[in-house]
Amino acid sequence: MKAAQIVLIEDNPADVYLIELALKESGVTHEMTKFKSGEEALRALCPPEGTETSTFVPDAILLDLNTPKSDGFQVLIKLKQAPRLAHVPMAVITSSQAASDKHRTSLQGTRYIQKPAQLQEFLTTVGQAVKDMIEEGRASKSP
Amino acid sequence: MANSDLENLLNSTQVAAIFLDSDLRIRSFTPAAGAVFRLLASDAGRPLTDLAAQFAGEGAVVEHMKEVLRTLSVRELALTGAQGQYFVMRILPYRTIHNVIDGVVVTFFDVTQLKEAEQRVLAAKVYVENIVKTVREPLLVLDAGLRVHSANKSFYELFGVSENESKGQVIFDLGNRQWDIPELRRLLGEVLPHNKAVRDFRVEHDFPELGRRIMLLGAREIPHEKDQAPLILLAIDDITESKDLLLKMNEELKHIAYATSHDLQEPLRMVVSYTQLLAREYKGKLDGQADQFIAYAVEGALRMEMLLKDLREYWSVNEHWRERPIPVDSNRVCAEILQILNAAIQESGARVTHDPLPTVIAEEVPLRLLFQNLIGNAIKYRRPDEPARIHIQARRTHGLWRFSVADNGIGIEAQHLETIFAPFKRLHGLDEYPGSGIGLAICKTVVERSGGQIWVESTYGQGSTFYYTLPAKDGDA
């Protein structure tokens, strides 16, 4: 199977490592594009109209809600509004239960992954979620 | 009477008397008078004016004596002595045995002690009145018939009544009967007669104009005039505002605790995940001691994670108490909880039964926590040699439902019956019965916030019964 293109927006290197480990152990063949902040991701993935040079469409976007300098939800909304990314499955990953309750309703069609504290649970949960997302994205693309 | 008898009489009494002739010269005096005015036998024949110098207002004294001689009437004067003594001086016409007026008799009574006592009483009264006026706490003095004897300015100000309309009124009639408070009637009618002094008697009352006030009352019987019933001093400490402040601070602290328990999640997750990763990746690659150390770190991190999770649950019961309680069918809640606990019930061989349970006024989520914790505990704290038997029932009492969750488990020692409801209170080692000790604290919060009470009865080694009350649906008795 062709390597899945995964975009990960996450500033914590410890979490980046765990997420990559989760994909590896779940057998997800992938290439990962990493961004340390939402702004950085937006600049690369949805540049202003007309300046777009890339045609890159990832298979899944994983976004940590608590990245510095920008409100994760604002970033998510902008990503979702970009026409090129319209069919890309997106997931919010966070350890905040409160945030999930507050914004869940505004996240129509967005997957929500709560980071478990226990290592094995984390690896399984994140790995399975990304697998499902890739699956879902491919299903929606195929006519 | 013989002259010598008279002399004996005068010498033996302590009466200070001076006899003067018609020209107001000293004829004779008693020893008591001699001692007081430092008279010598040789002073006989001296004019009184020499003696009168000892008294304040001498001219007046002589004038009074002349008046007595002229009018033959008795006069009484108050005099201050040179050493600050107080005297009552009586001036009488001196009659000879032939009924001829021949001078005056002047007697002196030293009333210094009496006068001083009077002044002390007056000073004490002024002192007390000033204290009452100065104290910022409203003070009220009632007589035995509970009528207002006096009150201080703070009282009149705080409760918007005037001195005139209050004095002599029975306290319960004051200001449109706004003081007719059942707790106050109980304090004055029952508590005080048995105790003589009561402190911090709490009264909460809605005053028509002041709104709801929370007061701590101090009451004391104070001895009054002789042969009369004691007065009652009532000090009123209005703690409404400090209570509001405390509540506000408490709310803030709760909020901080809640936020902190959330903020700690993220760094703790790092510790848990990475110690576990360390254990997984390096097991057997370092030495045996390193494996053990890592295992300890993992254990500690997991335990902290559990504590935080339970703490968040505890705070969320406190924090998310927004909706108004509604009627909830506890049969349904109980059945759902038994479903959730099914695995634990099967595994332990417990048998859980319940009578038909009532509909209560509560909130759904907290009520579930209550059932889950109590039934869960009853399963957990079973005796090793006997499967758990748990029975839940409810009885109607005074507008409330009293639930009981009875088990045949290990029981609780008497000295722990009260403390087990405190947060993080644990009676067992983690290896015996794991847990954070937050469950019963959650139960207590849930029950008390619903307006009920929770308690436990237990025979150590034989079982426990947890009781709690919840408001009934229709609220009547």
Side-chain angles (χ1 to χ4, degrees):
Chain A
M1 190 190 277
K2 189 179 137 233
Q5 294 296 321
I6 309 288
V7 167
L8 173 62
I9 306 163
E10 168 68 79
D11 68 307
N12 183 351
D15 271 334
V16 172
Y17 183 85
L18 288 181
I19 290 164
E20 290 198 284
L21 188 63
L23 296 185
K24 192 177 134 203
E25 297 203 351
S26 303
V28 180
T29 317
H30 69 281
E31 279 170 24
M32 190 174 272
T33 312
K34 292 172 239 174
F35 298 102
K36 282 200 165 63
S37 73
E39 283 167 12
E40 205 182 295
L42 286 175
R43 263 200 308 276
L45 293 176
C46 17
E49 202 88 14
T51 63
E52 215 155 339
T53 51
S54 157
T55 53
F56 175 58
V57 179
D59 292 295
I61 298 177
L62 303 175
L63 167 72
D64 177 21
L65 271 188
N66 307 316
T67 51
K69 284 189 283 185
S70 53
D71 176 359
F73 282 100
Q74 291 306 317
V75 174
L76 181 72
I77 288 162
K78 284 186 185 146
L79 288 173
K80 285 200 145 292
Q81 284 167 347
R84 188 158 50 83
L85 306 176
H87 298 288
V88 179
M90 298 185 193
V92 160
I93 44 175
T94 176
S95 51
S96 160
Q97 178 74 52
S100 74
D101 293 342
K102 202 164 137 199
H103 293 286
R104 207 165 227 171
T105 50
S106 67
L107 291 178
Q108 295 276 327
T110 302
R111 198 175 284 265
Y112 177 85
I113 308 169
Q114 197 180 344
K115 300 171 184 168
Q118 302 258 18
L119 178 69
Q120 199 48 55
E121 214 182 326
F122 185 104
L123 299 179
T124 317
T125 307
V126 173
Q128 191 55 51
V130 176
K131 264 192 192 166
D132 292 350
M133 287 167 78
I134 296 167
E135 195 88 354
E136 187 186 300
R138 291 196 173 144
S140 76
K141 260 185 274 177
S142 56
Chain B
M1 206 193 304
N3 209 23
S4 56
D5 286 350
L6 189 64
E7 238 179 86
N8 276 310
L9 173 68
L10 287 174
N11 289 348
S12 64
T13 62
Q14 291 298 306
V15 177
I18 301 175
F19 301 87
L20 304 173
D21 64 18
S22 308
D23 297 326
L24 304 181
R25 283 170 195 281
I26 297 169
R27 179 181 283 146
S28 64
F29 50 86
T30 63
V36 173
F37 301 107
R38 287 186 232 136
L39 296 175
L40 302 170
S42 57
D43 286 327
R46 283 175 64 189
L48 176 84
T49 40
D50 293 2
L51 177 67
Q54 293 189 26
F55 299 110
E58 57 183 279
V61 171
V62 176
E63 285 316 306
H64 281 296
M65 292 175 178
K66 287 179 178 163
E67 275 300 296
V68 170
L69 279 174
R70 197 174 64 80
T71 61
L72 303 183
S73 59
V74 178
R75 295 220 163 184
E76 205 171 278
L77 307 173
L79 292 178
T80 313
Q83 276 92 46
Q85 322 96 303
Y86 295 96
F87 292 101
V88 172
M89 180 191 209
R90 283 168 66 86
I91 311 166
L92 298 92
Y94 181 93
R95 288 168 198 272
T96 65
I97 44 170
H98 307 297
N99 214 18
V100 172
I101 302 301
D102 187 17
V104 291
V105 187
V106 187
T107 57
F108 298 89
F109 293 97
D110 187 338
V111 293
T112 308
Q113 285 187 352
L114 205 65
K115 194 85 179 173
E116 279 173 359
E118 206 173 276
Q119 282 177 343
R120 276 198 299 273
V121 169
L122 189 70
K125 190 164 174 264
V126 170
Y127 177 71
V128 168
E129 278 173 356
N130 275 303
I131 289 177
V132 171
K133 276 184 199 157
T134 311
V135 167
R136 288 173 58 205
E137 252 186 357
L139 289 176
L140 187 61
V141 181
L142 303 176
D143 66 17
L146 303 182
R147 281 176 294 269
V148 176
H149 178 276
S150 56
N152 69 352
K153 212 173 145 204
S154 305
F155 176 83
Y156 295 126
E157 276 174 6
L158 179 62
F159 296 101
V161 284
S162 76
E163 187 165 352
N164 287 339
E165 63 183 334
S166 305
K167 275 205 166 167
Q169 291 274 339
V170 171
I171 181 169
F172 304 123
D173 295 337
L174 273 188
N176 297 323
R177 302 193 65 79
Q178 58 176 333
W179 280 92
D180 194 358
I181 307 168
E183 292 133 298
L184 186 63
R185 281 190 181 269
R186 199 170 76 78
L187 170 69
L188 295 172
E190 296 168 33
V191 182
L192 195 59
H194 291 102
N195 294 285
K196 307 297 176 207
V198 176
R199 276 177 68 92
D200 296 341
F201 185 89
R202 195 190 147 92
V203 171
E204 254 187 271
H205 185 65
D206 277 314
F207 287 91
E209 275 166 37
L210 293 169
R212 186 157 199 84
R213 310 305 291 191
I214 303 163
M215 299 170 290
L216 290 181
L217 302 187
R220 177 177 290 273
E221 285 192 1
I222 43 178
H224 189 37
E225 284 158 39
K226 215 180 157 201
D227 300 332
Q228 286 195 16
L231 293 176
I232 297 164
L233 177 65
L234 199 62
I236 300 154
D237 189 2
D238 181 354
I239 58 164
T240 314
E241 269 146 42
S242 49
K243 168 115 180 164
D244 283 349
L245 191 69
L246 269 179
L247 283 177
K248 211 176 135 220
M249 280 170 63
N250 195 30
E251 276 308 306
E252 279 171 19
L253 279 177
K254 272 185 194 166
H255 191 76
I256 290 169
Y258 182 64
T260 307
S261 68
H262 275 90
D263 292 349
L264 286 176
Q265 271 184 105
E266 181 64 19
L268 183 61
R269 188 174 58 79
M270 290 290 104
V271 177
V272 171
S273 298
Y274 274 89
T275 48
Q276 286 183 332
L277 191 58
L278 206 53
R280 202 186 78 171
E281 299 295 308
Y282 291 92
K283 192 171 174 61
K285 292 183 186 165
L286 305 166
D287 61 21
Q289 205 176 28
D291 286 350
Q292 186 62 61
F293 289 173
I294 294 169
Y296 288 152
V298 169
E299 217 176 282
L302 285 179
R303 166 129 182 81
M304 198 198 277
E305 208 244 330
M306 182 180 72
L307 280 171
L308 265 187
K309 187 172 147 282
D310 286 354
L311 190 59
R312 281 198 303 279
E313 193 168 78
Y314 176 64
W315 285 120
S316 68
V317 171
N318 277 293
E319 194 81 351
H320 303 295
W321 203 276
R322 301 283 179 258
E323 293 153 33
R324 291 192 77 80
I326 48 160
V328 182
D329 177 6
S330 39
N331 279 309
R332 179 178 55 77
V333 172
C334 185
E336 286 171 13
I337 295 306
L338 291 180
Q339 193 56 44
I340 290 172
L341 294 171
N342 192 40
I345 293 171
Q346 297 299 326
E347 204 175 295
S348 67
R351 201 178 76 204
V352 187
T353 52
H354 66 86
D355 291 355
L357 298 174
T359 294
V360 292
I361 302 299
E363 270 189 87
E364 171 100 19
V365 175
L367 193 67
R368 296 172 69 98
L369 284 171
L370 178 64
F371 274 88
Q372 187 164 349
N373 275 297
L374 290 179
I375 301 171
N377 279 352
I379 298 170
K380 182 167 151 188
Y381 296 103
R382 62 182 179 274
R383 276 181 278 163
D385 54 341
E386 204 166 325
R389 295 275 169 272
I390 301 157
H391 187 71
I392 306 147
Q393 58 181 23
R395 291 245 167 86
R396 190 67 179 262
T397 91
H398 307 297
L400 294 164
W401 282 102
R402 192 200 70 187
F403 287 75
S404 59
V405 179
D407 65 48
N408 61 339
I410 57 173
I412 302 155
E413 288 169 282
Q415 71 263 33
H416 298 308
L417 290 179
E418 305 232 339
T419 55
I420 52 166
F421 294 100
F424 299 114
K425 178 74 186 176
R426 304 200 68 247
L427 303 179
H428 305 278
L430 277 179
D431 43 349
E432 270 185 294
Y433 297 97
S436 63
I438 206 74
L440 287 178
I442 290 178
C443 292
K444 186 174 160 74
T445 305
V446 170
V447 171
E448 287 181 356
R449 294 200 75 147
S450 305
Q453 283 179 299
I454 187 166
W455 69 98
V456 61
E457 288 169 9
S458 179
T459 308
Y460 188 53
Q462 291 184 31
S464 307
T465 303
F466 282 83
Y467 294 95
Y468 56 93
T469 54
L470 291 173
K473 196 173 96 186
D474 38 17
D476 59 17

